[in-house]
């Protein structure tokens, strides 16, 4: 009798625990965990998605839509020239252009815009980009990232009072007349930008809050003059010997990379310089000693004249 | 110096302080002098905590070897969805920046380039918009779905 009782109890226990397990599984299948993630996590994921995927996600989840609408707007547009038939590429391009306009035009989007990134591989409609940038200029955009081959940047962008970070690649910049006014700009990065000495000098001197400056492989320069009282960090990379004159009394770090050619750098007033790096460039030891003698705060030095064995000073 | 952490299912983990303070949450407890006794973590179960502590330990050990660390991270994050969400929530709660970033990146990679239908399938989700709301949103975002 006892053993039958025990067997029944055991069976009852097995059945009820299996039912509980199945209920839990079924319940797990119905609750999706992604839509109920904490706001901070949702926003973090949105920041890692291309704009087109962001819009898909916010159309699927109420929660995500709410989070997206309550944070500053980050727009990231990429269009690459893909291999395929010309007709296919044309259609893709038209769709892309429509889509950028659709997102940029609503006033509610412009009002929230904080970051705008545009990366175009092959695009010869400058007027179109001018229009997009005119929308962006109306906003309080803080970060602007433009990589468009041969595009001539309009001067309206150089009056964006709210801009803190400006990254330019492969485009053309020319400031002949008129002013540049970027009072909030802290970080300026130029990669393979076409601009002349006058333009770059004007640009650097018109950014009173500038702290970080990167000038990489820009063409059109014959004599680079960097003059800015607040600049803290400077990086220059160039493909041919370039005379550089640096006048930056708060500059703390400078890095230069040449193309295995003559180093033509002159420090005019860089008393605060702590960290100096010179690579893939040729200079005389005496020249280096002269520079060091004029840099009393220098702590980190990494300077190897190309073709001469490495010597590290402390 | 060793700290004691208690998971939601009451399992105690003994961890080096250097490893544990990669969690900003635990770090502030230590700095405020509240870490002398066992630190309860009611939002993290033992299975997840074990994984998280493995991440933290390896980030201390492999700090100088970027390549090895990346290899470890890529392998670590290859987990099924349920575990991924547990890691996400734990990294958020414990405020471990690099783990949170890596886990969010994994979710983003899962979602990139998919149509809404594919997303619904991948994530096995419930539609919480009303038919009218959904129609309105679809119209607004129609272009985003035409690939």
């Amino acid at each position: 009798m006892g053993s039958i009782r025990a067997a029944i109890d055991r069976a009852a226990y097995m059945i009820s625990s299996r039912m509980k397990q199945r209920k839990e599984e079924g319940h797990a299948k119905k609750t999706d965990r992604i839509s109920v993630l904490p706001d901070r996590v949702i926003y973090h994921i949105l920041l890692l998605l291309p704009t087109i995927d962001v819009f898909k996600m916010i159309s699927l989840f109420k929660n995500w839509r709410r989070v997206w609408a309550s944070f500053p707007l980050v727009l990231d547009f990429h269009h690459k020239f893909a291999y395929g038939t010309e007709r296919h590429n044309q259609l893709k391009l038209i769709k892309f252009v429509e889509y950028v306009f659709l997102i940029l035009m609503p006033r509610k989007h412009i009002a929230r815009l904080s970051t705008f990134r545009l990366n175009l591989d092959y695009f010869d409609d400058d007027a179109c980009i001018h229009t997009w940038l005119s929308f962006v200029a109306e906003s309080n955009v803080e970060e602007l990232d433009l990589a468009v081959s041969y595009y001539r940047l309009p001067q309206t962008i150089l009056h964006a009072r709210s801009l803190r970070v400006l990254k330019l690649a492969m485009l053309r910049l020319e400031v002949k007349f008129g002013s540049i006014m970027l009072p909030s700009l802290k970080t300026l990065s130029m990669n393979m930008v076409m601009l002349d000495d006058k333009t770059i000098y004007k640009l650097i001197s018109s950014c009173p809050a500038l702290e970080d400056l990167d000038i990489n492989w820009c063409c059109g320069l014959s004599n680079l003059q960097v003059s800015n009282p607040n600049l803290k960090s400077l990086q220059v990379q160039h493909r041919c010997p370039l005379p550089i004159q640096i006048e930056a009394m708060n500059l703390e770090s400078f890095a230069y990379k040449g193309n295995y050619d003559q180093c033509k750098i002159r420090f005019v007033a860089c008393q605060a310089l702590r960290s100096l790096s010179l690579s893939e460039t040729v200079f005389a030891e005496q020249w280096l000693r002269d520079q060091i003698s004029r840099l009393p705060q220098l702590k980190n030095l990494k300077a190897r004249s190309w073709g001469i064995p490495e010597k590290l000073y402390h | 110096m060793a700290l004691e952490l208690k998971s939601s299912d009451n399992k105690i983990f003994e961890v080096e302080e250097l490893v544990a303070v990669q969690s900003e949450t635990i770090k502030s407890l230590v700095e405020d002098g509240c870490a002398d006794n066992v630190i309860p973590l009611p939002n993290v179960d033992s299975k997840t905590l074990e994984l998280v502590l493995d991440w933290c330990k390896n980030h201390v050990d492999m700090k100088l070897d970027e390549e090895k660390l990346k290899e470890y991270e890529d392998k670590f994050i290859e987990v099924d969805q349920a575990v991924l969400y547990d890691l996400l929530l734990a990294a958020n709660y414990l405020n471990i920046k690099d783990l949170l970033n890596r886990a969010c990146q994994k979710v983003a990679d899962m979602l990139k380039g998919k149509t809404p239908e594919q997303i619904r399938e991948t994530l096995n989700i419930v539609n919480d918009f009303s038919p009218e709301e959904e129609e309105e949103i679809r119209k607004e975002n129609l272009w985003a779905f035409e690939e």
Side-chain angles (χ1 to χ4, degrees):
Chain A
M1 204 54 180
S3 61
I4 296 174
R5 177 84 244 168
I8 293 170
D9 283 349
R10 223 180 303 132
Y13 174 77
M14 297 276 319
I15 292 168
S16 76
S17 70
R18 222 178 282 147
M19 273 177 69
K20 190 178 174 207
Q21 194 182 33
R22 233 177 263 142
K23 185 177 174 205
E24 273 171 347
E25 272 169 18
H27 192 70
K29 269 216 167 105
K30 286 206 196 100
T31 43
D32 80 272
R33 298 180 69 189
I34 198 167
S35 63
V36 298
L37 287 171
D39 287 1
R40 187 162 76 133
V41 176
I42 292 175
Y43 187 56
H44 200 138
I45 299 174
L46 284 173
L47 286 178
L48 296 170
L49 283 172
T51 295
I52 191 167
D53 290 305
V54 168
F55 278 84
K56 280 180 203 163
M57 289 307 288
I58 64 169
S59 72
L60 285 173
F61 302 109
K62 266 196 176 140
N63 215 19
W64 286 56
R65 196 179 180 80
R66 178 186 53 81
V67 171
W68 174 84
S70 60
F71 277 93
L73 184 60
V74 173
L75 293 179
D76 202 322
F77 298 113
H78 269 73
H79 185 78
K80 281 203 169 318
F81 178 71
Y83 291 100
T85 64
E86 206 185 308
R87 172 132 183 85
H88 176 76
N89 279 317
Q90 256 180 19
L91 279 173
K92 276 202 103 175
L93 194 60
I94 292 170
K95 280 226 173 88
F96 172 76
V97 170
E98 270 176 12
Y99 144 69
V100 176
F101 271 111
L102 259 165
I103 298 181
L104 271 183
M105 274 171 22
R107 294 240 54 90
K108 59 179 179 178
H109 287 175
I110 292 298
R112 289 200 297 124
L113 188 64
S114 80
T115 301
F116 184 78
R117 295 193 191 112
L118 188 63
N119 191 321
L120 301 178
D121 214 13
Y122 174 74
F123 198 91
D124 50 14
D125 189 348
D126 277 14
C128 194
I129 308 178
H130 287 347
T131 312
W132 292 341
L133 289 181
S134 71
F135 288 132
V136 173
E138 278 177 53
S139 72
N140 288 321
V141 66
E142 289 183 8
E143 179 172 338
L144 187 57
D145 215 315
L146 297 172
V148 188
S149 303
Y150 300 112
Y151 172 65
R152 183 173 247 128
L153 193 69
Q155 260 179 264
T156 44
I157 282 300
L158 302 176
H159 283 94
R161 306 196 63 88
S162 51
L163 208 56
R164 289 205 200 166
V165 177
L166 182 59
K167 294 185 187 165
L168 305 172
M170 302 192 291
L171 37 85
R172 291 186 291 181
L173 186 54
E174 194 176 359
V175 180
K176 276 200 181 133
F177 315 104
S179 58
I180 300 176
M181 225 171 5
L182 296 167
S184 316
L185 195 70
K186 256 185 85 175
T187 303
L188 174 60
S189 157
M190 290 184 282
N191 282 296
M192 295 182 262
V193 174
M194 284 163 260
L195 77 179
D196 60 24
D197 297 332
K198 200 161 162 199
T199 302
I200 204 171
Y201 179 78
K202 208 163 184 183
L203 181 54
I204 296 171
S205 325
S206 308
C207 303
L210 193 64
E211 285 183 13
D212 300 299
L213 177 58
D214 270 16
I215 303 169
N216 302 321
W217 316 293
C218 292
C219 25
L221 299 175
S222 58
N223 195 322
L224 177 61
Q225 301 218 50
V226 177
S227 174
N228 187 294
N230 276 323
L231 195 64
K232 289 214 169 74
S233 135
L234 173 63
Q235 174 180 280
V236 179
Q237 297 186 79
H238 210 73
R239 275 197 232 283
C240 54
L242 177 68
I244 306 175
Q245 191 169 291
I246 307 168
E247 191 180 336
M249 57 191 204
N250 279 307
L251 189 68
E252 290 174 8
S253 130
F254 173 57
Y256 174 73
K257 192 182 204 182
N259 197 16
Y260 312 107
D261 45 28
Q262 193 66 35
C263 178
K264 296 183 178 178
I265 301 172
R266 219 160 59 93
F267 298 100
V268 171
C270 300
Q271 306 94 305
L273 195 68
R274 277 189 224 156
S275 175
L276 172 63
S277 163
L278 302 168
S279 53
E280 285 164 38
T281 186
V282 180
F283 50 84
E285 230 182 278
Q286 187 56 46
W287 172 86
L288 185 63
R289 272 200 264 269
D290 286 342
Q291 302 313 308
I292 294 172
S293 66
R294 294 220 297 274
L295 305 169
Q297 306 280 359
L298 194 63
K299 283 196 176 71
N300 300 317
L301 176 63
K302 205 170 146 202
R304 175 221 258 225
S305 181
W306 183 253
I308 293 168
E310 185 165 340
K311 280 185 187 168
L312 282 168
Y313 299 82
H314 287 280
Chain B
M1 211 204 108
L3 296 175
E4 283 185 321
L5 310 173
K6 187 164 85 168
S7 66
S8 59
D9 45 352
N10 292 322
K11 197 166 168 198
I12 307 261
F13 290 80
E14 201 179 288
V15 196
E16 279 292 314
E17 185 179 313
L18 200 62
V19 171
V21 294
Q22 292 194 56
S23 150
E24 295 285 336
T25 309
I26 295 180
K27 188 168 177 208
S28 23
L29 285 175
V30 170
E31 284 169 354
D32 292 344
C34 308
D36 293 332
N37 302 319
V38 177
I39 301 174
L41 303 174
N43 289 10
V44 190
D45 66 29
S46 56
K47 197 177 79 162
T48 310
L49 189 54
E50 199 175 328
L51 285 171
V52 169
L53 292 175
D54 190 70
W55 171 280
C56 293
K57 184 165 194 306
N58 277 288
H59 273 72
V60 171
D61 293 344
M62 295 186 213
K63 202 166 153 188
L64 298 171
D65 196 334
E66 254 183 68
E67 226 180 274
K68 206 171 166 195
L69 194 57
K70 185 169 187 305
E71 215 184 296
Y72 168 77
E73 286 187 1
D74 289 344
K75 212 167 148 201
F76 180 92
I77 210 72
E78 281 305 312
V79 289
D80 63 36
Q81 264 188 53
V83 179
L84 183 59
Y85 292 138
D86 288 330
L87 285 173
L88 256 177
L89 294 173
N92 182 50
Y93 170 65
L94 293 170
N95 204 343
I96 304 172
K97 284 199 176 78
D98 46 31
L99 179 56
L100 182 60
N101 202 40
R102 193 70 186 84
C104 285
Q105 184 66 63
K106 182 86 171 107
V107 176
D109 292 341
M110 231 163 65
L111 302 168
K112 266 185 215 175
K114 291 201 160 87
T115 65
E117 285 69 38
Q118 288 170 330
I119 293 174
R120 284 215 173 98
E121 232 177 82
T122 309
L123 305 176
N124 218 343
I125 58 168
V126 170
N127 189 358
D128 61 356
F129 286 109
S130 72
E132 296 81 27
E133 282 170 323
E134 202 184 338
E135 187 54 44
E136 198 188 306
I137 293 166
R138 284 217 129 223
K139 273 198 215 134
E140 206 179 83
N141 295 308
L142 199 60
W143 42 268
F145 302 147
E146 290 172 50
E147 262 302 295

